[in-house]
Amino acid sequence: MGRRGEGWLLATLAALTMLVFPPLTLKGLVDFLATLALTSGAIFIITALFTLGRNLSPLLQPRKKHSLVVSGIYSYVRHPMYGGLMLVAAGFTILTRNETRLAILALLWYIMERVVVTEERALSERYPEYAEYKAKVKKFLPFIY
């Protein structure tokens, strides 16, 4: 990118220009990806609800009658409802182009990360096989994170 970084300077200026004056085709792509995120998140949540069945609980501590679910969507992601919630929130935030929602999305992400720490501690204590499952399956987004 040049001996003195000229290429990086041009790339920075181009990115800043697009930030201020976004190309319409890029805006359409961003809207499409935001809609895809929102829809995918809703599908994650609904699929997880059906997969959990009677194992669903609003609390982080598993109940005594519950079993560890590692099939269906849970074979691809450990927390599809949390990941789905964040996808829905991200898609909605991008589509509405609202800075306040962006800050709330960051807060939601932080909260979900803390919730997972607490929930996974309880799951590890209750189910010895959880450690192996956790090592193999991504947290929120299949194959990514």
Side-chain angles (χ1 to χ4, degrees):
M1 298 297 283
R3 289 190 340 218
R4 298 181 335 172
E6 300 90 349
W8 289 115
L9 174 62
L10 287 174
T12 302
L13 291 173
L16 288 172
T17 301
M18 287 192 297
L19 187 64
V20 175
F21 306 105
L24 292 177
T25 56
L26 187 58
K27 182 177 176 282
L29 176 63
V30 168
D31 286 351
F32 170 77
L33 293 174
T35 302
L36 183 63
L38 197 149
T39 305
S40 298
I43 291 170
F44 274 34
I45 293 168
I46 292 166
T47 304
L49 288 170
F50 280 107
T51 303
L52 277 178
R54 293 184 181 263
N55 289 302
L56 179 64
S57 172
L59 304 175
L60 302 181
Q61 186 75 29
R63 294 183 180 153
K64 291 181 181 177
K65 294 181 181 181
H66 286 178
S67 59
L68 180 62
V69 177
V70 296
S71 61
I73 194 167
Y74 286 90
S75 64
Y76 297 100
V77 61
R78 297 191 316 265
H79 302 282
M81 286 194 286
Y82 301 152
L85 176 62
M86 288 186 290
L87 282 172
V88 167
F92 187 68
T93 297
I94 293 167
L95 286 172
T96 59
R97 291 163 177 74
N98 185 297
E99 303 85 14
T100 303
R101 286 191 177 112
L102 183 60
I104 294 168
L105 175 62
L107 176 63
L108 177 64
W109 186 284
Y110 175 79
I111 291 168
M112 291 295 100
E113 289 285 353
R114 302 286 61 85
V115 164
V116 164
V117 168
T118 303
E119 185 172 329
E120 288 191 334
R121 186 177 311 120
L123 290 169
S124 295
E125 290 172 3
R126 175 86 189 280
Y127 307 106
E129 65 272 25
Y130 192 79
E132 181 182 344
Y133 171 67
K134 182 179 175 182
K136 291 191 300 189
V137 179
K138 297 293 185 186
K139 189 188 316 185
F140 293 135
L141 300 173
F143 315 111
I144 299 172
Y145 178 73

PDB file of all heavy atoms in Angstrom, residues 88-102:
ATOM      1  N   VAL A  88     -31.899 -10.406  15.680  1.00  0.00           N
ATOM      2  CA  VAL A  88     -33.118  -9.614  15.492  1.00  0.00           C
ATOM      3  C   VAL A  88     -32.850  -8.154  15.873  1.00  0.00           C
ATOM      4  O   VAL A  88     -33.191  -7.230  15.127  1.00  0.00           O
ATOM      5  CB  VAL A  88     -34.296 -10.190  16.314  1.00  0.00           C
ATOM      6  CG1 VAL A  88     -35.457  -9.209  16.371  1.00  0.00           C
ATOM      7  CG2 VAL A  88     -34.758 -11.517  15.734  1.00  0.00           C
ATOM      8  N   ALA A  89     -32.220  -7.954  17.017  1.00  0.00           N
ATOM      9  CA  ALA A  89     -31.933  -6.595  17.483  1.00  0.00           C
ATOM     10  C   ALA A  89     -30.975  -5.876  16.535  1.00  0.00           C
ATOM     11  O   ALA A  89     -31.172  -4.691  16.227  1.00  0.00           O
ATOM     12  CB  ALA A  89     -31.352  -6.634  18.895  1.00  0.00           C
ATOM     13  N   ALA A  90     -29.963  -6.576  16.030  1.00  0.00           N
ATOM     14  CA  ALA A  90     -29.013  -5.955  15.101  1.00  0.00           C
ATOM     15  C   ALA A  90     -29.704  -5.595  13.794  1.00  0.00           C
ATOM     16  O   ALA A  90     -29.520  -4.485  13.271  1.00  0.00           O
ATOM     17  CB  ALA A  90     -27.831  -6.889  14.847  1.00  0.00           C
ATOM     18  N   GLY A  91     -30.486  -6.515  13.271  1.00  0.00           N
ATOM     19  CA  GLY A  91     -31.208  -6.228  12.032  1.00  0.00           C
ATOM     20  C   GLY A  91     -32.146  -5.047  12.177  1.00  0.00           C
ATOM     21  O   GLY A  91     -32.176  -4.153  11.326  1.00  0.00           O
ATOM     22  N   PHE A  92     -32.890  -5.021  13.263  1.00  0.00           N
ATOM     23  CA  PHE A  92     -33.825  -3.924  13.510  1.00  0.00           C
ATOM     24  C   PHE A  92     -33.081  -2.598  13.682  1.00  0.00           C
ATOM     25  O   PHE A  92     -33.484  -1.566  13.157  1.00  0.00           O
ATOM     26  CB  PHE A  92     -34.686  -4.241  14.740  1.00  0.00           C
ATOM     27  CG  PHE A  92     -35.789  -3.258  14.975  1.00  0.00           C
ATOM     28  CD1 PHE A  92     -36.864  -3.170  14.106  1.00  0.00           C
ATOM     29  CD2 PHE A  92     -35.757  -2.413  16.066  1.00  0.00           C
ATOM     30  CE1 PHE A  92     -37.884  -2.260  14.310  1.00  0.00           C
ATOM     31  CE2 PHE A  92     -36.768  -1.497  16.289  1.00  0.00           C
ATOM     32  CZ  PHE A  92     -37.837  -1.417  15.408  1.00  0.00           C
ATOM     33  N   THR A  93     -31.974  -2.650  14.409  1.00  0.00           N
ATOM     34  CA  THR A  93     -31.169  -1.446  14.635  1.00  0.00           C
ATOM     35  C   THR A  93     -30.650  -0.880  13.315  1.00  0.00           C
ATOM     36  O   THR A  93     -30.722   0.325  13.079  1.00  0.00           O
ATOM     37  CB  THR A  93     -29.988  -1.772  15.576  1.00  0.00           C
ATOM     38  OG1 THR A  93     -30.517  -2.164  16.846  1.00  0.00           O
ATOM     39  CG2 THR A  93     -29.067  -0.579  15.755  1.00  0.00           C
ATOM     40  N   ILE A  94     -30.150  -1.750  12.461  1.00  0.00           N
ATOM     41  CA  ILE A  94     -29.609  -1.296  11.175  1.00  0.00           C
ATOM     42  C   ILE A  94     -30.729  -0.766  10.282  1.00  0.00           C
ATOM     43  O   ILE A  94     -30.578   0.280   9.646  1.00  0.00           O
ATOM     44  CB  ILE A  94     -28.833  -2.434  10.492  1.00  0.00           C
ATOM     45  CG1 ILE A  94     -27.575  -2.751  11.309  1.00  0.00           C
ATOM     46  CG2 ILE A  94     -28.469  -2.065   9.053  1.00  0.00           C
ATOM     47  CD1 ILE A  94     -26.903  -4.044  10.931  1.00  0.00           C
ATOM     48  N   LEU A  95     -31.850  -1.467  10.240  1.00  0.00           N
ATOM     49  CA  LEU A  95     -32.952  -1.028   9.382  1.00  0.00           C
ATOM     50  C   LEU A  95     -33.522   0.321   9.802  1.00  0.00           C
ATOM     51  O   LEU A  95     -33.937   1.118   8.967  1.00  0.00           O
ATOM     52  CB  LEU A  95     -34.066  -2.077   9.361  1.00  0.00           C
ATOM     53  CG  LEU A  95     -33.782  -3.335   8.546  1.00  0.00           C
ATOM     54  CD1 LEU A  95     -34.872  -4.375   8.779  1.00  0.00           C
ATOM     55  CD2 LEU A  95     -33.658  -3.005   7.064  1.00  0.00           C
ATOM     56  N   THR A  96     -33.550   0.590  11.103  1.00  0.00           N
ATOM     57  CA  THR A  96     -34.110   1.859  11.589  1.00  0.00           C
ATOM     58  C   THR A  96     -33.067   2.975  11.641  1.00  0.00           C
ATOM     59  O   THR A  96     -33.430   4.131  11.872  1.00  0.00           O
ATOM     60  CB  THR A  96     -34.742   1.689  12.984  1.00  0.00           C
ATOM     61  OG1 THR A  96     -33.743   1.216  13.900  1.00  0.00           O
ATOM     62  CG2 THR A  96     -35.919   0.738  12.938  1.00  0.00           C
ATOM     63  N   ARG A  97     -31.788   2.599  11.474  1.00  0.00           N
ATOM     64  CA  ARG A  97     -30.692   3.581  11.475  1.00  0.00           C
ATOM     65  C   ARG A  97     -30.774   4.501  12.698  1.00  0.00           C
ATOM     66  O   ARG A  97     -30.792   5.722  12.596  1.00  0.00           O
ATOM     67  CB  ARG A  97     -30.698   4.392  10.181  1.00  0.00           C
ATOM     68  CG  ARG A  97     -30.322   3.570   8.971  1.00  0.00           C
ATOM     69  CD  ARG A  97     -30.720   4.220   7.673  1.00  0.00           C
ATOM     70  NE  ARG A  97     -30.312   3.472   6.513  1.00  0.00           N
ATOM     71  CZ  ARG A  97     -30.877   2.345   6.079  1.00  0.00           C
ATOM     72  NH1 ARG A  97     -31.856   1.795   6.755  1.00  0.00           N
ATOM     73  NH2 ARG A  97     -30.452   1.737   4.991  1.00  0.00           N
ATOM     74  N   ASN A  98     -30.812   3.860  13.866  1.00  0.00           N
ATOM     75  CA  ASN A  98     -31.024   4.594  15.107  1.00  0.00           C
ATOM     76  C   ASN A  98     -29.820   4.392  16.024  1.00  0.00           C
ATOM     77  O   ASN A  98     -29.533   3.266  16.439  1.00  0.00           O
ATOM     78  CB  ASN A  98     -32.319   4.078  15.763  1.00  0.00           C
ATOM     79  CG  ASN A  98     -32.685   4.848  16.994  1.00  0.00           C
ATOM     80  OD1 ASN A  98     -31.946   4.843  17.967  1.00  0.00           O
ATOM     81  ND2 ASN A  98     -33.846   5.485  16.966  1.00  0.00           N
ATOM     82  N   GLU A  99     -29.129   5.474  16.355  1.00  0.00           N
ATOM     83  CA  GLU A  99     -27.922   5.401  17.181  1.00  0.00           C
ATOM     84  C   GLU A  99     -28.225   4.936  18.599  1.00  0.00           C
ATOM     85  O   GLU A  99     -27.427   4.236  19.218  1.00  0.00           O
ATOM     86  CB  GLU A  99     -27.216   6.762  17.243  1.00  0.00           C
ATOM     87  CG  GLU A  99     -26.826   7.330  15.908  1.00  0.00           C
ATOM     88  CD  GLU A  99     -27.954   8.092  15.231  1.00  0.00           C
ATOM     89  OE1 GLU A  99     -28.968   8.423  15.878  1.00  0.00           O
ATOM     90  OE2 GLU A  99     -27.817   8.349  14.025  1.00  0.00           O
ATOM     91  N   THR A 100     -29.366   5.322  19.132  1.00  0.00           N
ATOM     92  CA  THR A 100     -29.731   4.901  20.485  1.00  0.00           C
ATOM     93  C   THR A 100     -29.886   3.387  20.527  1.00  0.00           C
ATOM     94  O   THR A 100     -29.423   2.732  21.458  1.00  0.00           O
ATOM     95  CB  THR A 100     -31.038   5.588  20.933  1.00  0.00           C
ATOM     96  OG1 THR A 100     -30.861   7.002  20.846  1.00  0.00           O
ATOM     97  CG2 THR A 100     -31.404   5.193  22.349  1.00  0.00           C
ATOM     98  N   ARG A 101     -30.534   2.837  19.503  1.00  0.00           N
ATOM     99  CA  ARG A 101     -30.682   1.381  19.445  1.00  0.00           C
ATOM    100  C   ARG A 101     -29.330   0.690  19.309  1.00  0.00           C
ATOM    101  O   ARG A 101     -29.143  -0.414  19.801  1.00  0.00           O
ATOM    102  CB  ARG A 101     -31.607   0.985  18.294  1.00  0.00           C
ATOM    103  CG  ARG A 101     -33.050   1.278  18.589  1.00  0.00           C
ATOM    104  CD  ARG A 101     -33.969   0.647  17.552  1.00  0.00           C
ATOM    105  NE  ARG A 101     -35.337   0.906  17.925  1.00  0.00           N
ATOM    106  CZ  ARG A 101     -36.151   1.706  17.241  1.00  0.00           C
ATOM    107  NH1 ARG A 101     -35.749   2.296  16.138  1.00  0.00           N
ATOM    108  NH2 ARG A 101     -37.386   1.892  17.651  1.00  0.00           N
ATOM    109  N   LEU A 102     -28.392   1.327  18.633  1.00  0.00           N
ATOM    110  CA  LEU A 102     -27.056   0.752  18.503  1.00  0.00           C
ATOM    111  C   LEU A 102     -26.394   0.641  19.872  1.00  0.00           C
ATOM    112  O   LEU A 102     -25.786  -0.376  20.198  1.00  0.00           O
ATOM    113  CB  LEU A 102     -26.202   1.603  17.558  1.00  0.00           C
ATOM    114  CG  LEU A 102     -24.803   1.088  17.271  1.00  0.00           C
ATOM    115  CD1 LEU A 102     -24.856  -0.290  16.619  1.00  0.00           C
ATOM    116  CD2 LEU A 102     -24.059   2.078  16.385  1.00  0.00           C
TER     117      LEU A 102
END
